[in-house]
């Protein structure tokens, strides 16, 4: 993985971390130190693919971008800006399809479901109603993640105001985990 570095008019494409540190050390305004060097090495070694921005002073930053581009021209033409996807992972659509399949997979047993929803509550001082973000966690017997969601929502609907809003089972506001088979 190569690194593109830019600080105002100074930019370069380097092929390892030591070259990046040497380039930054030659720019006096950056003030290279051991802590910054360690952080750059950690960023380069990590699986993180998004750019990293480092503050030099107020409103002055330098940026490091991981790339697979071999030359500066390739990088400028946006060839290889993104790292190749890891083996075993497809597109975002494939990951979403996998999550939906996991949700409907039949696997009888105990599930722990966590749902964050908008609950209608009455304010005692004014008598008016307002929405409050509420998180509810429950363990239940179910045959799938979808069944777990349905049971939790059914339970909550009988105990909260009917105007409360529940998220989709496929959204980020519902999660579940399989705890094991029931006896």
């Amino acid at each position: 993985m190569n690194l593109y570095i830019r600080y105002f008019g100074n930019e370069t494409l380097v092929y390892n971390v030591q070259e990046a540190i040497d380039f930054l050390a030659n720019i006096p305004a950056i003030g290279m130190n051991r802590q910054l060097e360690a952080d750059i090495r950690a960023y380069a070694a990590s699986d993180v693919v998004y750019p990293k921005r480092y503050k030099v002073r107020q409103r002055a930053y330098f940026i490091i971008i991981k790339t697979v581009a071999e030359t500066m021209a390739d990088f400028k033409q946006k060839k290889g800006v993104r790292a190749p996807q890891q083996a075993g992972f497809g597109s975002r659509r494939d990951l979403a399809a996998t999550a939906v399949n996991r949700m409907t997979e039949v696997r009888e047993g105990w599930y722990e479901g966590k749902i964050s929803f908008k609950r209608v509550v009455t304010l005692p001082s004014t008598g008016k109603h307002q929405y409050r973000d509420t998180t509810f966690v429950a363990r239940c017997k179910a045959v799938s993640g979808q069944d777990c969601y349905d049971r939790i929502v059914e339970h909550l609907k009988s105990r909260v105001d009917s105007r409360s809003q529940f998220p989709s089972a496929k959204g980020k506001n519902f999660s579940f985990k399989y705890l094991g088979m029931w006896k």
Side-chain angles (χ1 to χ4, degrees):
M1 182 76 45
N2 301 326
L3 299 170
Y4 169 78
I5 304 168
R6 185 180 71 228
Y7 177 70
F8 290 106
N10 301 321
E11 65 180 357
T12 189
L13 183 72
V14 296
Y15 304 100
N16 61 46
V17 180
Q18 190 57 48
E19 290 177 10
I21 291 168
D22 293 342
F23 172 77
L24 292 169
N26 289 330
I27 302 173
I30 291 178
M32 180 59 72
N33 58 35
R34 287 185 182 177
Q35 181 182 2
L36 181 58
E37 181 179 337
D39 194 50
I40 292 170
R41 288 185 189 279
Y43 169 71
S46 71
D47 293 334
V48 175
V49 292
Y50 57 83
K52 180 97 181 204
R53 188 172 77 159
Y54 292 92
K55 188 172 187 172
V56 175
R57 62 181 186 280
Q58 187 175 2
R59 288 182 269 166
Y61 299 87
F62 71 87
I63 189 168
I64 299 178
I65 300 173
K66 289 183 179 178
T67 182
V68 293
E70 292 298 321
T71 65
M72 184 66 86
D74 286 347
F75 181 80
K76 293 290 185 170
Q77 294 173 358
K78 301 201 184 307
K79 295 179 183 175
V81 173
R82 299 259 183 241
Q85 293 182 353
Q86 297 174 350
F89 291 102
S91 68
R92 182 177 251 171
R93 177 176 278 153
D94 293 342
L95 292 173
T98 304
V100 170
N101 289 343
R102 197 175 78 96
M103 183 82 171
T104 58
E105 176 187 358
V106 175
R107 194 172 178 191
E108 296 179 348
W110 284 97
Y111 285 82
E112 181 177 88
K114 179 179 179 182
I115 188 168
S116 296
F117 67 102
K118 300 281 187 186
R119 179 177 172 189
V120 173
V121 295
T122 304
L123 299 175
S125 59
T126 63
K128 293 185 179 182
H129 299 78
Q130 82 177 124
Y131 286 102
R132 291 257 171 96
D133 289 331
T134 306
T135 301
F136 182 78
V137 180
R139 291 183 177 179
C140 62
K141 286 183 180 179
V143 294
S144 67
Q146 181 67 46
D147 186 37
C148 174
Y149 172 82
D150 294 338
R151 288 174 185 258
I152 289 173
V153 170
E154 181 183 330
H155 172 79
L156 289 171
K157 281 186 176 180
S158 66
R159 287 167 176 75
V160 297
D161 191 294
S162 62
R163 294 171 287 181
S164 296
Q165 298 173 355
F166 297 98
S168 166
K170 299 173 188 169
K172 65 179 181 179
N173 290 326
F174 175 71
S175 61
F176 69 94
K177 64 181 171 184
Y178 180 72
L179 300 175
M181 188 64 180
W182 65 56
K183 292 186 178 187

